[in-house]
Amino acid sequence: MSRTAATSPAAPPASSPERSRPSHTTTADHRLYGPGLSVEPVEVTGSESIIRSLEALGVTDVFGLPGGAILPTYDPLMDSSTINHVLVRHEQGAGHAAQGYAMVTGEVGVCLATSGPGATNLVTALADAHMDSVPMVAITGQVNAAVIGTDAFQEADIVGISAPITKHSFLVTDAETIPQVMAEAFHLASSGRPGPVLVDITKSAQAAKTTFSWPPEIGLTGYRPVTRGHAKQVREAAKLIQQARRPVFYLGGGVVKAEASEEFRALAEAAGAPVATTLMARGAFPDSHEQNLGMPGMHGTVAAVAALQRADLLITLGARFDDRVTGALDSFAPDAKVIHADVDPAEISKNRLADVPIVGSLKEIVPELTTAVTDVFEREGRPELESWWRQLDRMRTTYPLGWTEPEDGMTAPQQVIRRIGEAAGPEAVYVAGVGQHQMWASQFIGFERPRQWLNSGGLGTMGYSVPAAMGAQVGQPDRVVWAIDGDGCFQMTNQELATCAINGIPIKVAVINNSSLGMVRQWQTLFYESRYSNTDLNTAMDRHGDQVVPIPDFVKLAEAYGCAGLRCEREEDLDATIAEAMAITDRPVVVDFRVSRDSMVWPMVPAGVSNSDIQVARDLTPDWDEEE
């Protein structure tokens, strides 16, 4: 949705955002995002009003690239003593950096861009944040209000362009509305189901004289996200859990967004049921916990996929029945009743009918459900789950995650990623690009805490990793941040290495270099008779597997960007190379890991087929009869 801030009517305040940080209360039922500053009216320009609004909202880091239509705002930005601006090399990098910052901190990420191409370069990041429910505010400059619609220089209708891929879009033509719009943007981005919000501000509004004061009144007609789950539905859910004999917790990224991981662990242990954590929920429940079956879906573990297929009850929390999890929807979990709890009512029964729908914040629903489950167990007795667990434990033992050593004598990429995870540990942050390396990272790194794992889940954006890792490192400067990238993804946004080097952002980049677009090549191998049309990248070898002069040479590229460049071509050098990368803390590090191009991601559920047809290797499916 979008509206013009200059003409927005006053409206009753919206409901409180779900935040643990202190907030300023403007009315009895509404709280502002931010530290709760109070500023008396002062005469400023619209641009100064933007910067003062960001300061009042508690923003400390922004990512951006200046241009003509946003230039008035970059001038007072120089005078801010509390806002650190990171000058990126491409606006897409600013958007992904804001995402990475938001994902590791739980705060709203902020990026700036100019009008026209500057704004349109943010579109991919906005769409990515929208798909993965990332709280983010993008502020763009726009041409003068008087020339909007005349095809003025660098004019683009970014509000119209972004409307389908943002939670809300604003066009500001009146400087007086800037504090209100900024407050509304942050409230929308951070409350309910989080998401990206665009604030497009005309150059004339930026230049105009206005009055700034804080806090402003907020008016968002009809926006009142529900946070408290319906008590009757919670009790009904608890009854189903007590009656189930094959229950499974199906955990989505909403658990992380709601900061409900600790609360969920109490629920899981009270219920005693197995847990499957989706790609976006990795780390929401510790991998080391005995109840964690791993990731479900297209490249999930056999145990997790089979548990969902055989379940008689899915306890679905903050997940959306995505096609990569369900496979063919009409054959997904055919015998299961469904409890579905989500803060977004639009997700309830969208893809799978919910027998017990619960709308609200998981931060509140999960503890209520734990209490209800405990109560019903005390009255009716605990369910007998021993036989269910025997089946699942046999699956875990019989079909563990693993890989086949490459026949070409090169290093297995899975081994590289596992060793990185072991060396950096669970306190590090891991940010994946998209493709085979993303799936291997989700499979072979142990995730023990929320916000440890960042990736582009819903949109599948190549080029996400390096700028998102940059934003994550700014947000968590004391943690080690590894970008696990592919040689294809890396070449899309590696210009942000310059940003990292200049700003002292010491990310570590593992380029899993198989000299090809790996996941596309895997599909060509499996479904297109090994006809490798346009998937060879010549970064280590040619299409025949022969060594070539790499274009580019990633080590030389890293050094040209002021980073440390390392290369590892033999498995026996893995640990020493990773240790060398870990020891470098004064600049970014890029490691070119030369790996086999024939390695594939297994298990795999081919697109459009039933999860029951999962393959553990090529043309090899589990023998389910042995599991009975």
Side-chain angles (χ1 to χ4, degrees):
M1 59 181 174
S2 64
R3 67 181 168 87
T4 302
T7 60
S8 61
S15 60
S16 302
E18 302 159 20
R19 303 197 56 79
S20 58
R21 60 191 280 175
S23 298
H24 184 94
T25 303
T26 56
T27 70
D29 66 345
H30 180 77
R31 291 177 295 172
L32 279 175
Y33 180 99
L37 300 179
S38 181
V39 179
E40 294 299 316
V42 59
E43 292 298 315
V44 295
T45 64
S47 295
E48 290 171 325
S49 185
I50 295 168
I51 301 303
R52 291 186 181 221
S53 295
L54 291 174
E55 292 172 337
L57 288 159
V59 173
T60 57
D61 298 280
V62 299
F63 305 87
L65 188 67
I70 196 67
L71 205 55
T73 297
Y74 267 83
D75 186 65
L77 180 59
M78 284 191 71
D79 299 325
S80 177
S81 61
T82 59
I83 298 176
N84 168 52
H85 178 272
V86 178
L87 175 62
V88 299
R89 296 306 184 265
H90 192 287
E91 290 89 354
Q92 182 182 350
H96 292 321
Q99 286 182 271
Y101 184 94
M103 288 289 285
V104 297
T105 64
E107 304 297 333
V108 174
V110 182
C111 57
L112 295 170
T114 194
S115 65
T120 59
N121 280 344
L122 287 176
V123 165
T124 297
L126 289 170
D128 196 289
H130 190 247
M131 287 285 280
D132 288 346
S133 303
V134 179
M136 171 176 146
V137 170
I139 302 168
T140 55
Q142 183 54 274
V143 298
N144 288 327
V147 297
I148 289 178
T150 68
D151 292 331
F153 177 67
Q154 290 192 334
E155 180 190 357
D157 179 12
I158 192 61
V159 169
I161 292 168
S162 66
I165 54 170
T166 54
K167 188 174 178 181
H168 197 92
S169 297
F170 294 91
L171 173 62
V172 178
T173 59
D174 181 353
E176 289 291 329
T177 66
I178 288 173
Q180 177 188 345
V181 168
M182 294 293 288
E184 291 177 351
F186 276 74
H187 176 60
L188 285 166
S190 61
S191 61
R193 180 178 182 171
V197 176
L198 177 88
V199 181
D200 193 39
I201 309 176
T202 61
K203 192 171 184 179
S204 49
Q206 295 174 60
K209 291 293 184 179
T210 185
T211 300
F212 175 82
S213 64
W214 199 266
E217 291 294 326
I218 291 183
L220 291 167
T221 303
Y223 181 72
R224 295 178 180 272
V226 175
T227 59
R228 189 77 182 268
H230 195 287
K232 180 178 181 294
Q233 297 299 88
V234 171
R235 291 193 299 270
E236 288 299 315
K239 289 180 184 178
L240 284 186
I241 293 172
Q242 192 277 331
Q243 295 165 1
R245 295 300 176 263
R246 297 189 307 279
V248 181
F249 283 104
Y250 165 23
L251 214 62
V255 175
V256 178
K257 301 298 191 304
E259 305 284 0
S261 294
E262 289 185 15
E263 291 83 354
F264 172 73
R265 179 167 183 160
L267 172 61
E269 292 177 346
V275 179
T277 54
T278 66
L279 182 67
M280 298 306 296
R282 304 291 286 120
F285 188 65
D287 279 354
S288 59
H289 198 287
E290 62 183 359
Q291 289 174 239
N292 196 336
L293 299 180
M295 185 175 72
M298 177 174 279
H299 294 295
T301 68
V302 172
V305 171
L308 292 180
Q309 286 300 97
R310 295 181 167 199
D312 63 2
L313 177 66
L314 300 184
I315 311 158
T316 308
L317 304 175
R320 56 189 181 88
F321 292 89
D322 171 71
D323 62 288
R324 289 293 166 114
V325 169
T326 66
L329 189 60
D330 59 0
S331 64
F332 175 69
D335 300 323
K337 292 183 178 180
V338 173
I339 299 166
H340 193 177
D342 202 287
V343 74
D344 185 357
E347 290 296 341
I348 305 291
S349 296
K350 183 178 78 174
N351 293 325
R352 173 67 177 260
L353 181 67
D355 297 276
V356 179
I358 310 174
V359 177
S361 167
L362 295 178
K363 188 73 170 177
E364 297 194 26
I365 289 172
V366 172
E368 293 169 354
L369 187 54
T370 303
T371 299
V373 165
T374 303
D375 290 345
V376 75
F377 282 7
E378 290 177 354
R379 293 194 312 271
E380 307 292 338
R382 295 186 63 85
E384 191 283 308
L385 302 182
E386 285 77 8
S387 61
W388 179 224
W389 271 113
R390 283 196 295 271
Q391 292 181 50
L392 299 178
D393 286 339
R394 284 198 299 269
M395 291 179 192
R396 286 200 281 201
T397 301
T398 307
Y399 302 105
L401 287 172
W403 65 85
T404 302
E405 289 300 321
E407 296 180 358
D408 56 12
M410 299 195 71
T411 304
Q414 301 96 322
Q415 183 74 280
V416 174
I417 293 170
R418 171 173 281 178
R419 297 282 187 86
I420 290 172
E422 291 171 347
E427 292 306 311
V429 173
Y430 303 91
V431 188
V434 168
Q436 288 179 315
H437 60 280
Q438 176 191 25
M439 295 297 103
W440 288 322
S442 71
Q443 292 175 333
F444 294 107
I445 293 175
F447 298 105
E448 296 296 311
R449 60 179 183 84
R451 304 193 183 281
Q452 180 188 349
W453 164 246
L454 283 62
N455 77 125
S456 171
L459 197 64
T461 301
M462 292 180 68
Y464 170 90
S465 183
V466 169
M470 175 175 70
Q473 187 76 81
V474 172
Q476 296 282 338
D478 296 329
R479 292 192 187 273
V480 173
V481 177
W482 272 98
I484 310 294
D485 221 352
D487 46 320
C489 289
F490 180 65
Q491 292 187 76
M492 292 192 172
T493 52
N494 62 34
Q495 69 273 5
E496 299 309 333
L497 290 174
T499 308
C500 292
I502 291 170
N503 289 276
I505 305 171
I507 66 170
K508 304 180 191 305
V509 183
V511 181
I512 310 302
N513 183 3
N514 60 7
S515 200
S516 65
L517 298 173
M519 187 62 86
V520 182
R521 190 177 192 273
Q522 175 168 333
W523 281 53
Q524 288 175 333
T525 301
L526 297 175
F527 308 120
Y528 295 89
E529 300 178 341
S530 298
R531 290 166 55 84
Y532 300 121
S533 174
N534 292 282
T535 47
D536 298 295
L537 294 179
N538 278 78
T539 52
M541 60 192 78
D542 64 16
R543 62 182 300 179
H544 305 293
D546 297 323
Q547 294 289 327
V548 296
V549 175
I551 301 175
D553 184 317
F554 291 136
V555 172
K556 291 180 180 178
L557 180 69
E559 292 171 347
Y561 273 127
C563 307
L566 307 175
R567 179 172 290 121
C568 183
E569 299 182 271
R570 304 184 308 164
E571 184 174 333
E572 53 264 39
D573 297 329
L574 265 180
D575 291 337
T577 304
I578 294 168
E580 185 177 357
M582 292 286 289
I584 299 171
T585 59
D586 61 342
R587 61 196 187 281
V589 183
V590 176
V591 188
D592 178 11
F593 288 103
R594 301 283 180 88
V595 300
S596 174
R597 71 193 317 175
D598 294 323
S599 294
M600 295 193 191
V601 183
W602 300 106
M604 180 178 181
V605 179
V609 306
S610 170
N611 279 355
S612 297
D613 296 326
I614 186 173
Q615 298 181 16
V616 293
R618 190 170 185 178
D619 299 324
L620 179 62
T621 59
D623 188 347
W624 301 123
D625 292 337
E626 292 182 357
E627 307 302 330
E628 299 299 340

